[in-house]
Amino acid sequence: MTAVAAESRRPWRIGPAIGLAGLLLSGIGFLVDPRQAYASWLAALATGLSTALGILLLIAIAYVSGARWFDPLRGLALELAGTVPLFGLLFIVLLPGLGRLYPWAHPGGSPNPAWLNVPWFLVRAAVYFAIWIALSILFRRGAGAAPEAASGAPSARERALAAVALPMLGLSLTFAAFDWLMSLEPGWVSTVFGVYWFAGGIIAALALLTVLAAAGGAARAPVTLGPRQAYALGALMLTFAVFWAYIAYSQYFIIWIANVPAEVAWYVPRVRGGWGVLALVVLVGQFLLPLLVLLFQAAKLSPRVLAVVGALVLVMHYLDTYWLVLPAVHPDAPHPHWLDLSALAAVGGAATGWIAWLDRR
């Protein structure tokens, strides 16, 4: 093995060790500070899962639209989509802590007991993951046994599968956002919340694909980020950064101007004090900075610039998800905790280990 190849494989070897350390630390947290540990786990899990689902959506959109620029990235995208079953396993970790996170999990705590009850919640979660895992497996099988060979145009069968997958992904992702994130405060509702989670996930998926492609891809799916792929990824990141900001502003503006106490109450802690500062940080990092950089054609053609923007967007996506989840536990102000880092290490490390395991298979 050459020195370059060994260097490219190193993160995929270190990742599982980081994941195991994070899982052990999170396990300690579940015992000493369970509510914080489960909230930190949910934030990390929702970040990683939304990114993986964003990858699935990108694959389906590319197949349906006939985006030939995506062909060299298919193998890498399929490798990343292969992590979806892992997130089903990581979701199981949350189940003992449902009563710690969700007020409706207690008797008399649900404003809509016909929908928000633990058995029905678990059934819906099983349906969501069954859809996502099935699509992930079907996409990977459609490309053949080896994702590194999936560099040509998708077949007619794959395009038909993508056309069926898009509405299934959109609906299941939306209802999962309602169940797992919006119901943290069950008295609050927003019909656009699922779109908000989708927008953040797909821009994070583009960012992750860009960062890994700029770094040479995965072990079995090496990629050289050519000008055509770089420009397309940069343009899509710019587009979805604007789309995410538009959805975020629309939700905030409509709820705030209506001034209905039950709806505004969700925003009150999130736009004041430390949470308000975090909201501004996310707005700048996930919208303004990518907008200002990616408006320039030279930036969209530079793998190094795109990788920096992509890394920034990934960090901002986690902070955005953190802003959605943690105020339900700490409405007064952010309380950064070592369990936040351990959950991120566990989820991120497990994902890299899962990809390495798929490679060995």
Side-chain angles (χ1 to χ4, degrees), residues 41-344:
W41 190 268
L42 177 59
L45 176 64
T47 301
L49 177 59
S50 62
T51 305
L53 295 178
I55 292 289
L56 271 180
L57 283 162
L58 282 176
I59 293 171
I61 292 170
Y63 285 7
V64 169
S65 63
R68 297 305 304 272
W69 65 266
F70 189 76
D71 292 347
L73 302 175
R74 282 182 70 200
L76 177 58
L78 289 167
E79 288 279 87
L80 298 175
T83 61
V84 173
L86 167 69
F87 289 104
L89 298 176
L90 296 178
F91 181 81
I92 296 174
V93 177
L94 278 179
L95 300 187
L98 293 182
R100 305 275 185 177
L101 287 174
Y102 301 102
W104 52 262
H106 302 283
S110 175
N112 185 2
W115 182 266
L116 289 178
N117 60 76
V118 173
W120 185 218
F121 174 88
L122 297 179
V123 169
R124 293 195 303 273
V127 172
Y128 304 150
F129 277 109
I131 292 171
W132 301 335
I133 292 171
L135 291 176
S136 170
I137 292 173
L138 289 172
F139 276 129
R140 287 172 59 81
R141 284 184 178 176
E148 72 272 16
S151 58
S155 65
R157 184 177 179 180
E158 288 175 307
R159 291 196 296 271
L161 172 63
V164 174
L166 280 173
M168 295 176 67
L169 284 169
L171 288 172
S172 57
L173 185 152
T174 297
F175 280 98
F178 293 161
D179 283 353
W180 303 342
L181 300 178
M182 195 167 71
S183 74
L184 288 166
E185 298 177 50
W188 181 74
V189 294
S190 169
T191 55
V192 80
F193 189 82
V195 182
Y196 181 90
W197 197 46
F198 150 77
I202 201 165
I203 189 177
L206 287 163
L208 179 61
L209 198 60
T210 301
V211 170
L212 292 180
R220 268 207 315 170
V223 175
T224 299
L225 193 60
R228 189 179 181 189
Q229 287 70 40
Y231 186 87
L233 288 171
L236 283 173
M237 272 201 291
L238 172 61
T239 300
F240 278 100
V242 174
F243 179 69
W244 170 85
Y246 169 74
I247 295 299
Y249 174 75
S250 298
Q251 178 178 264
Y252 173 79
F253 178 76
I254 292 172
I255 289 177
W256 199 261
I257 199 171
N259 200 26
V260 177
E263 297 179 352
V264 176
W266 187 84
Y267 269 108
V268 169
R270 288 172 171 82
V271 297
R272 294 181 178 177
W275 290 119
V277 172
L278 181 59
L280 289 176
V281 169
V282 173
L283 178 64
V284 171
Q286 190 157 285
F287 169 59
L288 289 178
L289 288 179
L291 175 68
L292 294 175
V293 173
L294 296 177
L295 280 175
F296 295 95
Q297 182 174 358
K300 291 196 283 285
L301 292 174
S302 170
R304 181 173 298 180
V305 172
L306 288 176
V308 172
V309 174
L312 174 66
V313 167
L314 287 172
V315 173
M316 291 300 112
H317 180 53
Y318 170 71
L319 293 180
D320 183 30
T321 308
Y322 192 87
W323 181 80
L324 294 176
V325 174
L326 270 295
V329 177
H330 303 295
D332 55 331
H335 294 273
H337 201 284
W338 59 270
L339 285 168
D340 300 331
L341 295 178
S342 70
L344 269 178

